Amino acid sequence: RQAISARSSPELRLKAARVALSLNEPADAVAYLEPLLALDPTNVEALALLARSREVTGNHRAAREAMGKILD
């Protein structure tokens, strides 16, 4: 996770989040996605990955919120 810095590209952050989810590390996925979404809150792929990460951790409300942002 240390290899991903604040200046990392959105594509790298998305890839890291996908890998984290595939390794059943949803908290790491969220850590990669939140800074990306702070810069681009309408990034649909990041929102979908965030929703999936939240769902995996049982945070259904946050998962619905992320999905709702996609539909807005």
Side-chain angles (χ1 to χ4, degrees), residues 1-20 28-36 39:
R1 191 162 111 181
Q2 294 174 8
I4 307 294
S5 73
R7 295 178 298 196
S8 294
S9 72
E11 294 80 17
L12 183 58
R13 288 186 166 282
L14 288 169
K15 183 179 276 191
R18 286 191 295 271
V19 169
D28 286 347
V30 170
Y32 296 129
L33 295 167
E34 286 181 337
L36 189 161
L39 295 173

Side-chain angles (χ1 to χ4, degrees), residues 18 21-22 26 47-57 63 66-67:
R18 286 191 295 271
L21 275 172
S22 73
L47 287 166
L49 287 168
L50 181 65
R52 197 163 114 211
S53 299
R54 298 295 194 198
E55 187 72 25
V56 168
T57 62
M67 289 305 292

Side-chain angles (χ1 to χ4, degrees), residues 23 52 61 63:
L23 296 173
R52 197 163 114 211
R61 176 180 282 172

